[in-house]
Amino acid sequence: MHSPFQVNITNISEVRMGSPYNTCEIELVGFDKVRLAKNGWQDKYAWTSDFSKLVLIKLDFENNTPGFHFFVINVNTGKAEETNRYFGLINKISIVESKIIINKFLHDKLKSKPGELCCEVDEEFEIL
């Protein structure tokens, strides 16, 4: 199987100067059932194994604190759902069965040292 449409990532730039995390624009080429905001996306996404759902990462910097929402698109129905806000920024995302599995950076002032920011966190979420 292969994806039913192309996820096109453009206009990639750092979320903050010197940051390893990016913001971008995403276009779904060949899929017109969902309208996406022009920008404010992270350059990471994941498909379910059967390509029935696509999960995008919508960035949310509330009070200058990095966060994100999962934006889940059901390819068959064209329905899109956005989750609550989660803290951090995504390093890796995948989908295994009905779970979104991520590794994210979540700054912890108490565990960080000068020149060494902490921490990476692994989490799982039920897919919508």
Side-chain angles (χ1 to χ4, degrees):
M1 291 185 93
H2 64 281
S3 62
F5 55 86
Q6 181 180 341
V7 179
N8 193 17
I9 296 175
T10 59
N11 296 324
I12 299 169
S13 62
E14 299 167 341
V15 294
R16 296 281 189 270
M17 192 169 161
S19 172
Y21 299 97
N22 295 320
T23 184
C24 66
E25 294 178 14
I26 293 181
E27 178 186 11
L28 306 178
V29 179
F31 186 74
D32 60 2
K33 293 180 182 178
V34 174
R35 290 237 179 249
L36 298 179
K38 181 165 173 73
N39 48 26
W41 303 97
Q42 191 172 354
D43 58 344
K44 310 270 188 226
Y45 63 91
W47 286 98
T48 55
S49 61
D50 64 357
F51 294 100
S52 65
K53 291 187 179 174
L54 171 65
V55 178
L56 305 174
I57 307 300
K58 187 175 180 183
L59 295 173
D60 183 346
F61 284 85
E62 185 177 298
N63 297 323
N64 209 24
T65 303
F68 63 91
H69 303 262
F70 293 116
F71 192 84
V72 182
I73 298 171
N74 183 316
V75 175
N76 300 321
T77 65
K79 186 177 178 182
E81 295 184 56
E82 187 174 316
T83 66
N84 293 329
R85 183 177 188 270
Y86 300 103
F87 291 104
L89 292 165
I90 302 289
N91 292 317
K92 296 178 192 171
I93 181 171
S94 63
I95 300 173
V96 177
E97 297 176 8
S98 64
K99 295 193 183 296
I100 300 170
I101 299 172
I102 64 165
N103 174 272
K104 69 179 182 179
F105 173 76
L106 183 61
H107 183 242
D108 186 326
K109 290 180 185 179
L110 298 176
K111 294 181 181 177
S112 294
K113 301 173 188 170
E116 289 183 40
L117 295 177
C118 180
C119 294
E120 287 191 15
V121 178
D122 294 319
E123 292 182 325
E124 293 183 4
F125 301 87
E126 284 294 323
I127 197 166
L128 300 175

